[in-house]
Amino acid sequence: MTTVGIIVEYNPLHNGHEYHFEQSKKISNADAVIAVMSGNFLQRGEPSIVNKWARTEMALHMGADLVIELPVIYSSQPAEWFAFGAISALDATGIVDHLCFGSESGELEILQTLAKKLKEEPVRFGVEVKQQLKKGINYPAAYTSAIQKILPFEKSEHMDLSQPNNTLGLHYLIAIERLNSSIQPLTITRQKAGYHQQEVTDQRIASATAIRKLIFEKQNQSYFSQYMPNYTYEVLQREFQSGRGPIDWECLKDQLLYKLLSITPTECSHYFEVTEGLENRLKQTLPELHSDSSFSVTKLLDLLKTKRYTRTKLQRTLLRILLNHYKTDITIDKLKKGTPYLRVLGFSDKGQHLLKKMKKTSKVPIITKVNKNHTSLLEMDIRATSIYSLSYQNPSAKEMFQDYYQPPLILKQ
Amino acid sequence: MTTVGIIVEYNPLHNGHEYHFEQSKKISNADAVIAVMSGNFLQRGEPSIVNKWARTEMALHMGADLVIELPVIYSSQPAEWFAFGAISALDATGIVDHLCFGSESGELEILQTLAKKLKEEPVRFGVEVKQQLKKGINYPAAYTSAIQKILPFEKSEHMDLSQPNNTLGLHYLIAIERLNSSIQPLTITRQKAGYHQQEVTDQRIASATAIRKLIFEKQNQSYFSQYMPNYTYEVLQREFQSGRGPIDWECLKDQLLYKLLSITPTECSHYFEVTEGLENRLKQTLPELHSDSSFSVTKLLDLLKTKRYTRTKLQRTLLRILLNHYKTDITIDKLKKGTPYLRVLGFSDKGQHLLKKMKKTSKVPIITKVNKNHTSLLEMDIRATSIYSLSYQNPSAKEMFQDYYQPPLILKQ
């Protein structure tokens, strides 16, 4: 049985994702698909629009055979560690033959050349990034410039690394190199809607960002249903009607505000992602929120934003503070080890066979039921779920502790 | 000018407090009254029904000349440190001649004998308390038994130390001894309503506890107005109408729940008051809250309560977790130093003269305006105010940072 791995967020799952899914199966000639999916908190430092169980349901309906949770220490990271965590999970299964990822360029060979170069010359690259940062530009821009210096000119013309999926793809390839993984990469050129594209420009395809915008603007719901499969629409409707969404940062603003007010700058500086005096900037910025209006995360982000700190960097920082993740919780040493467990969120009939196989091949424990003696990383996922559940209109204890007793979702075909 | 010091919470100020105030002036023959008042969080580990500024207003209307805030590290403590903090503040002014406190017994001589004995034999007393605790009884009961063993029998008959104001009074006297203070103590027998008494039994006098109960039960407001001076009633009405009260623990339940869910048992054990494995009991108890009902602090307290942990002990523990006060923030060494500043909340014309005098006599800095280079203890008061303001129906940034710019209240007579 040939198995292809994909790395996803499904926030929410839409027609573009279906296209990617079908193409992945086709070009890899795979019989089964394993999806590594972010839990409740995503790469850009945001909560997902509906929780991980609802998004797992969508993935299973589409045809994914096994959905594994990307631990929260990796899920809200810049491309490098997000990619490393996800590839380490696919690699740990011991049964993934191919990785298939979308990229704006679709040029696997250039990305692979670059990945090898970066793996060989990490120090030179690091120095180059630092030099670019000194110019006062933000990290993504410095990163792109540094890569363009290292990559031979004629190739870099064809590779725009300011495109997020090119960068992610590059880091998947670097991770495969670093892990000496036998996974064979494949890429699909992304169609139509750019990752961050805010506006809808097509009858059937829109980016997840654009879809979320439509949802939060509470336009006529049939207006966004055309961009997603029917099962996504139905899961979303059910979740929204049950008061479990749509979730964005504002749904957690009370918790964030309390947290920010309760900590000292020194304590703040111990949180992961809080770098370069950001703790003082945070403490000074809070009183700037005007007295006549209520607090919002958007307003705070607007006040905090500088040339240097991108919105994504700031969101990730606020998220780590909210989730109570200290620098000592997320060290380079821990990250380098890769994910130490595979938390199963759901599976199909075929996925059940994969799991049986994985009992022999998996390099780490497979978790289908959380018991009390879990590792500290899994504990972080569980706490993240509890905190996420506080964003619901009516949080119940059932949802706060769902991770403890929720068995994997099973879709019979 | 003879000055009498009083130690108060005014939660809210009622007719019984007026009686105590008048008697204090009378028996001490004082011209001026200095009140040391708890800020927004009180001795039993609860938020005050309205904030410290509103309660200062009440105190000034009654005739207090100077209101000084008891720092939060002392204000939510068992009798020993609550008393020590408050006496250290009165002593630090350098101008307080008398202390006048209410007690159930009214027997100053017995309390003084006992205070001396406890000061002389702290080790024997400590051992005795520990032995009593081993019987499985709670701390207040063990404390009372230990004292009864040390006090000569014929005297202990007249001194019921399970009465909270006898115990507080005793600790005021011990603090005076420990600080070698020149303050002369006086006591007034408390009239009619016991401290914790829940029910109203008189036409004009009711305990603050009973009054708060009437307020929260939202009975006809004229029903509670008879137990308080008119100015209290008016201040309460204004605060309630502005969405700043009435405040109780439930108004901070979202922040508490988030905090409890976000910390690990290990981190929890670092908070002040978290003793004897209470961190595990807390973590285990949370999931017991039933799934079909919403979270409440009352329910949590009911689940946590044991023979050993009184409700007050548990409330103080939850409060320290909410306020983010670690064991390293509130060490015995810090507590023993007494309050390192006098934060002025309000004053009368006469109070202004007292302040002028205190510029020469005060043993610690007098704070009428908070600047940025404040001490870490004052920082804790400021954070406590910010967190308290989140209990309001519509918290505004103005209130979150009120401590930074609110000048002392001044009542012209």
Side-chain angles (χ1 to χ4, degrees):
Chain A
M1 190 152 65
T2 305
T3 304
V4 65
I6 55 176
I7 297 164
V8 301
E9 293 200 317
Y10 295 157
N11 188 41
L13 193 152
H14 55 61
N15 293 340
H17 293 126
E18 265 203 342
Y19 170 80
H20 173 251
F21 183 82
E22 296 306 335
Q23 289 295 307
S24 298
K25 282 186 87 165
K26 197 171 151 190
I27 65 169
S28 64
N29 206 13
D31 313 296
V33 183
I34 298 184
V36 172
M37 189 183 81
S38 300
N40 293 323
F41 295 96
L42 308 181
Q43 215 232 324
R44 290 165 73 195
E46 293 172 318
S48 52
I49 191 160
V50 289
N51 71 35
K52 61 189 179 190
W53 302 106
R55 283 155 44 239
T56 297
E57 223 176 311
M58 297 172 190
L60 293 173
H61 274 295
M62 180 173 61
D65 296 300
L66 181 57
V67 183
I68 288 166
E69 181 173 357
L70 180 63
V72 69
I73 66 159
Y74 294 109
S75 76
S76 299
Q77 290 269 16
E80 183 184 359
W81 290 115
F82 175 87
F84 188 80
I87 295 292
S88 79
L90 289 177
D91 186 65
T93 63
I95 57 167
V96 171
D97 304 293
H98 297 287
L99 164 75
C100 195
F101 62 91
S103 62
E104 290 83 0
S105 82
E107 307 243 24
L108 187 64
E109 198 201 336
I110 301 180
L111 286 170
Q112 279 181 312
T113 309
L114 193 51
K116 284 204 175 103
K117 218 165 173 71
L118 290 180
K119 197 206 160 199
E120 282 156 16
E121 300 193 77
V123 176
R124 188 184 146 205
F125 180 67
V127 170
E128 197 60 59
V129 171
K130 271 190 191 155
Q131 274 175 354
Q132 296 293 330
L133 278 173
K134 275 186 192 151
K135 295 178 185 170
I137 57 176
N138 64 34
Y139 193 82
Y143 195 90
T144 306
S145 298
I147 281 175
Q148 279 162 349
K149 288 224 170 177
I150 287 178
L151 195 68
F153 179 71
E154 68 278 14
K155 284 186 178 170
S156 71
E157 271 188 302
H158 302 285
M159 182 55 62
D160 178 2
L161 284 164
S162 69
Q163 294 290 334
N165 288 284
N166 286 342
T167 300
L168 272 175
L170 172 64
H171 284 285
Y172 294 146
L173 300 176
I174 295 174
I176 287 173
E177 292 279 334
R178 282 169 64 190
L179 289 160
N180 285 319
S181 173
S182 62
I183 295 174
Q184 292 298 316
L186 297 166
T187 191
I188 298 162
T189 311
R190 277 175 69 94
Q191 299 293 312
K192 295 173 180 167
Y195 184 58
H196 293 321
Q197 199 172 308
Q198 298 261 335
E199 303 304 329
V200 169
T201 53
D202 185 91
Q203 289 300 309
R204 288 201 65 246
I205 303 287
S207 73
T209 307
I211 292 171
R212 290 197 303 279
K213 198 169 168 241
L214 289 178
I215 292 174
F216 280 104
E217 282 169 358
K218 286 199 176 47
Q219 300 210 19
N220 185 336
Q221 292 185 323
S222 61
Y223 192 62
F224 67 79
S225 65
Q226 63 188 299
Y227 303 108
M228 56 186 63
N230 206 36
Y231 49 79
T232 293
Y233 185 71
E234 279 171 12
V235 170
L236 288 180
Q237 290 302 97
R238 185 199 63 211
E239 292 298 300
F240 296 170
Q241 277 158 21
S242 312
R244 291 191 295 265
I247 306 302
D248 67 2
W249 249 119
E250 301 306 341
C251 305
L252 287 161
K253 72 185 168 110
D254 289 345
Q255 288 76 15
L256 178 67
L257 177 61
Y258 157 69
K259 180 67 182 237
L260 292 174
L261 291 174
S262 73
I263 54 177
T264 63
T266 308
E267 199 180 351
C268 187
S269 73
H270 296 148
Y271 284 106
F272 189 69
E273 289 273 4
V274 177
T275 48
E276 298 158 11
L278 200 50
E279 67 276 16
N280 294 317
R281 189 162 169 75
L282 258 167
K283 206 71 183 178
Q284 280 155 15
T285 302
L286 277 177
E288 283 176 35
L289 295 162
H290 294 302
S291 59
D292 52 346
S293 53
S294 59
F295 173 78
S296 85
V297 181
T298 307
K299 263 187 260 172
L300 178 63
L301 287 167
D302 286 344
L303 285 172
L304 286 172
K305 215 180 153 186
T306 63
K307 217 168 159 187
R308 177 149 216 170
Y309 300 128
T310 62
R311 200 183 172 87
T312 300
K313 158 76 181 171
L314 291 168
Q315 287 192 153
R316 285 189 195 126
T317 310
L318 295 179
L319 182 63
R320 294 303 177 177
I321 295 172
L322 179 79
L323 296 182
N324 209 35
H325 291 172
Y326 292 98
K327 284 171 180 156
T328 48
D329 291 323
I330 309 180
T331 60
I332 296 287
D333 279 348
K334 275 191 201 174
L335 290 169
K336 272 186 177 168
K337 284 184 186 150
T339 177
Y341 52 85
L342 294 171
R343 170 80 194 268
V344 177
L345 293 177
F347 52 83
S348 66
D349 286 341
K350 216 183 277 170
Q352 198 154 18
H353 290 288
L354 294 177
L355 280 170
K356 212 173 271 176
K357 246 169 113 180
M358 280 164 58
K359 278 191 185 163
K360 289 173 197 153
T361 60
S362 177
K363 299 171 185 171
V364 297
I366 299 165
I367 295 169
T368 50
K369 190 172 184 285
V370 173
N371 65 34
K372 290 200 171 170
N373 303 317
H374 44 262
T375 70
S376 63
L377 286 199
L378 186 56
E379 162 79 31
M380 287 166 81
D381 290 335
I382 294 169
R383 279 190 288 132
T385 293
S386 295
I387 293 169
Y388 181 87
S389 80
L390 299 178
S391 69
Y392 302 160
Q393 283 163 354
N394 292 306
S396 77
K398 180 173 159 278
E399 281 145 357
M400 282 175 218
F401 301 100
Q402 190 168 10
D403 267 8
Y404 279 109
Y405 61 81
Q406 172 73 55
L409 302 177
I410 303 172
L411 196 80
K412 296 282 175 199
Q413 273 137 354
Chain B
M1 187 152 68
T2 305
T3 304
V4 65
I6 55 177
I7 296 163
V8 301
E9 293 200 319
Y10 294 158
N11 188 40
L13 192 153
H14 56 60
N15 293 338
H17 293 126
E18 265 203 342
Y19 169 82
H20 172 251
F21 182 82
E22 296 305 336
Q23 288 295 308
S24 297
K25 282 187 88 164
K26 196 170 151 190
I27 65 169
S28 63
N29 207 14
D31 312 295
V33 184
I34 298 183
V36 171
M37 189 181 82
S38 301
N40 293 324
F41 295 98
L42 306 182
Q43 215 231 326
R44 289 165 73 195
E46 291 172 320
S48 52
I49 191 161
V50 288
N51 71 35
K52 61 189 179 190
W53 301 105
R55 282 153 46 239
T56 297
E57 224 177 310
M58 298 172 189
L60 293 174
H61 274 296
M62 180 173 62
D65 295 300
L66 182 58
V67 182
I68 287 166
E69 181 174 356
L70 180 63
V72 68
I73 66 159
Y74 293 110
S75 75
S76 299
Q77 291 269 17
E80 183 183 0
W81 291 115
F82 175 87
F84 187 80
I87 295 293
S88 79
L90 289 176
D91 186 65
T93 63
I95 57 167
V96 171
D97 304 294
H98 297 286
L99 163 75
C100 195
F101 61 92
S103 63
E104 289 83 0
S105 82
E107 306 243 25
L108 188 63
E109 198 201 336
I110 301 180
L111 286 171
Q112 278 181 313
T113 309
L114 193 50
K116 285 202 174 102
K117 218 166 172 70
L118 290 181
K119 197 204 161 202
E120 283 156 15
E121 300 194 75
V123 177
R124 188 184 147 205
F125 180 66
V127 169
E128 196 60 59
V129 171
K130 271 189 191 157
Q131 276 176 351
Q132 296 294 329
L133 278 173
K134 276 186 193 154
K135 294 179 185 168
I137 56 176
N138 65 33
Y139 193 82
Y143 196 90
T144 307
S145 298
I147 281 175
Q148 278 163 350
K149 287 224 168 175
I150 285 178
L151 195 70
F153 179 71
E154 70 277 13
K155 285 187 179 167
S156 71
E157 271 188 303
H158 301 285
M159 182 56 64
D160 179 1
L161 284 163
S162 69
Q163 294 289 336
N165 287 284
N166 286 342
T167 299
L168 271 176
L170 172 64
H171 283 286
Y172 294 146
L173 299 175
I174 295 175
I176 288 173
E177 291 279 335
R178 282 169 63 190
L179 289 160
N180 285 320
S181 172
S182 62
I183 295 174
Q184 292 298 315
L186 297 164
T187 191
I188 298 162
T189 310
R190 276 175 69 94
Q191 298 293 312
K192 295 173 179 164
Y195 183 60
H196 294 320
Q197 198 171 309
Q198 298 261 335
E199 303 304 330
V200 169
T201 52
D202 186 271
Q203 288 300 310
R204 290 203 62 248
I205 303 288
S207 73
T209 307
I211 292 171
R212 290 197 302 280
K213 197 169 168 239
L214 288 178
I215 292 173
F216 280 104
E217 282 169 358
K218 287 200 175 48
Q219 298 210 21
N220 185 338
Q221 292 185 324
S222 61
Y223 191 63
F224 66 79
S225 66
Q226 64 187 299
Y227 303 106
M228 55 186 64
N230 206 36
Y231 49 79
T232 292
Y233 184 71
E234 281 170 12
V235 169
L236 287 181
Q237 290 301 98
R238 186 199 63 210
E239 292 298 301
F240 296 170
Q241 277 158 21
S242 312
R244 291 191 295 266
I247 307 301
D248 67 0
W249 248 120
E250 300 305 342
C251 304
L252 288 161
K253 72 185 168 109
D254 290 344
Q255 288 76 16
L256 178 68
L257 177 61
Y258 157 68
K259 179 68 181 237
L260 292 174
L261 291 175
S262 73
I263 55 177
T264 62
T266 308
E267 199 180 350
C268 187
S269 73
H270 296 147
Y271 285 106
F272 190 69
E273 290 273 4
V274 178
T275 49
E276 299 159 9
L278 200 49
E279 68 275 16
N280 294 318
R281 190 163 167 73
L282 258 167
K283 206 72 185 178
Q284 281 156 12
T285 302
L286 277 177
E288 283 176 36
L289 295 161
H290 292 303
S291 60
D292 53 348
S293 53
S294 59
F295 173 78
S296 85
V297 181
T298 307
K299 261 186 262 172
L300 177 63
L301 287 166
D302 286 344
L303 284 173
L304 286 172
K305 216 180 153 188
T306 63
K307 217 169 159 186
R308 176 149 219 170
Y309 299 128
T310 62
R311 199 181 173 88
T312 301
K313 158 76 180 171
L314 291 168
Q315 287 192 154
R316 284 187 195 128
T317 309
L318 295 179
L319 183 62
R320 295 303 178 178
I321 295 173
L322 179 79
L323 297 181
N324 210 33
H325 291 172
Y326 292 98
K327 284 171 181 155
T328 48
D329 292 322
I330 310 181
T331 60
I332 296 288
D333 279 347
K334 275 191 199 172
L335 290 168
K336 270 186 178 168
K337 283 183 186 150
T339 177
Y341 54 84
L342 295 171
R343 170 80 195 266
V344 177
L345 293 176
F347 52 83
S348 67
D349 286 342
K350 215 182 276 169
Q352 198 156 18
H353 290 290
L354 294 177
L355 280 171
K356 213 173 269 175
K357 246 170 114 179
M358 279 165 58
K359 277 190 185 167
K360 289 174 196 151
T361 60
S362 177
K363 299 170 186 173
V364 296
I366 299 164
I367 294 169
T368 50
K369 190 172 185 284
V370 173
N371 65 33
K372 290 200 172 172
N373 302 318
H374 44 263
T375 70
S376 63
L377 284 200
L378 186 55
E379 162 79 31
M380 287 165 81
D381 290 336
I382 294 168
R383 280 189 288 133
T385 292
S386 295
I387 294 169
Y388 181 86
S389 79
L390 299 179
S391 69
Y392 302 161
Q393 284 164 352
N394 292 308
S396 77
K398 182 172 158 276
E399 280 144 357
M400 283 176 218
F401 299 101
Q402 189 167 11
D403 268 7
Y404 278 109
Y405 61 80
Q406 172 72 56
L409 302 177
I410 304 173
L411 196 81
K412 295 281 173 200
Q413 272 137 356

